[in-house]
Amino acid sequence: MSHQIIKDLNKRYTTKKYDAEKRISHEDMVVIKEAIRLSASSINSQPWKFIVIESDDAKHRFHNTFANVHQFNQPHAKAASHTILLAYDPKFTKEKYAKRVDAEVTSGHLPAEMYNTFMGAYAFAEANTDDVGYNGTWTKAQVYIALGNLLHTLARLGIDSTPMEGVDSLLIGEEFKEELDGHVCEVALAIGYHKEGEDYNYGLPKARLSLDDVITTL
């Protein structure tokens, strides 16, 4: 298929080895950050925080979080141009949601007289909140919407990526406690450019189920 979207998705793959000498340009990082910011979420909740690891110091700190588990992903911590920690708010309150609704009004997207009506949408979050205020299962799902958006953005830019659930959430929480500000990171995304001739996953054909296996048109 010749459509650009399909070309992008056929080209993107999970990178296994990065070229530590190649860096993503400042201009592309501006696009990437804005793409994350514009990601969709249920009721426009945006219950997330994204930590962009760029400096050598931050890479070293991230590298240290692999001390106990998932060492197969540890090389990406320093070799990838950047890594993005995608973190969710485990206790997304109505007060926090009000800040999002305020933005709806100030942006001109929502008429001021609709403020209280839109606040009522928090019922979706309440339906997924337990007796102690935990709604992390719901907010974590929103983070994966942002991850999907980010993967396609990177493919369009010709930037390689590696989604990593193989990270130590506890050590990340300790090492980046101040930056996370109560958010929880259970998935990260290494981004950059693959190492020519040393990335065994590069250039292989896609392995997906057939259209009929995954899509039913009624």
Side-chain angles (χ1 to χ4, degrees):
M1 189 179 293
S2 61
H3 196 286
Q4 188 59 54
I5 291 175
I6 304 304
K7 288 182 179 179
D8 289 344
L9 296 178
N10 269 313
K11 186 177 180 181
R12 94 127 305 268
Y13 74 106
T14 297
T15 300
K16 299 301 182 181
K17 188 165 186 178
Y18 285 90
D19 188 336
E21 301 302 315
K22 293 183 178 180
R23 301 279 291 176
I24 299 170
S25 70
H26 171 75
E27 292 75 17
D28 280 347
M29 284 307 304
V30 169
V31 173
I32 291 165
K33 291 175 184 178
E34 183 66 359
I36 302 173
R37 188 183 75 87
L38 292 173
S39 294
S41 58
S42 177
I43 64 171
N44 198 22
S45 52
Q46 305 169 72
W48 48 42
K49 184 176 282 290
F50 305 106
I51 311 299
V52 179
I53 295 176
E54 180 178 73
S55 68
D56 289 341
D57 176 65
K59 288 182 178 184
H60 182 71
R61 291 169 62 194
F62 182 50
H63 186 272
N64 289 345
T65 68
F66 290 94
N68 299 325
V69 291
H70 307 306
Q71 284 85 6
F72 55 87
N73 278 328
Q74 191 173 35
H76 302 328
K78 291 187 175 180
S81 174
H82 296 66
T83 297
I84 301 173
L85 307 182
L86 298 95
Y88 62 91
D89 188 341
K91 293 190 174 183
F92 184 69
T93 64
K94 193 169 187 176
E95 290 70 27
K96 293 173 182 176
Y97 182 56
K99 182 177 180 180
R100 280 67 172 169
V101 181
D102 289 342
E104 291 270 355
V105 173
T106 56
S107 70
H109 181 263
L110 182 73
E113 59 269 22
M114 293 289 293
Y115 184 92
N116 290 334
T117 300
F118 205 81
M119 278 297 300
Y122 185 75
F124 284 93
E126 288 178 324
N128 291 280
T129 303
D130 66 16
D131 293 339
V132 296
Y134 178 83
N135 45 30
T137 301
W138 178 74
T139 55
K140 182 180 177 180
Q142 311 312 312
V143 162
Y144 281 87
I145 298 174
L147 176 59
N149 176 43
L150 187 52
L151 290 176
H152 194 184
T153 298
L154 293 165
R156 181 83 287 269
L157 292 170
I159 296 170
D160 297 321
S161 61
T162 307
M164 299 182 293
E165 283 189 315
V167 294
D168 190 328
S169 180
L170 291 177
L171 284 187
I172 288 174
E174 294 173 6
E175 182 63 44
F176 295 94
K177 182 178 181 179
E178 182 177 350
E179 293 89 349
L180 288 169
D181 189 27
H183 292 67
V184 177
C185 173
E186 295 182 0
V187 61
L189 183 68
I191 59 177
Y193 301 96
H194 69 276
K195 183 77 169 177
E196 292 287 351
E198 297 184 34
D199 182 358
Y200 67 84
N201 209 31
Y202 175 74
L204 297 178
K206 285 289 184 186
R208 298 292 191 270
L209 294 172
S210 72
L211 206 64
D212 289 341
D213 283 334
V214 297
I215 297 177
T216 300
T217 302
L218 302 176

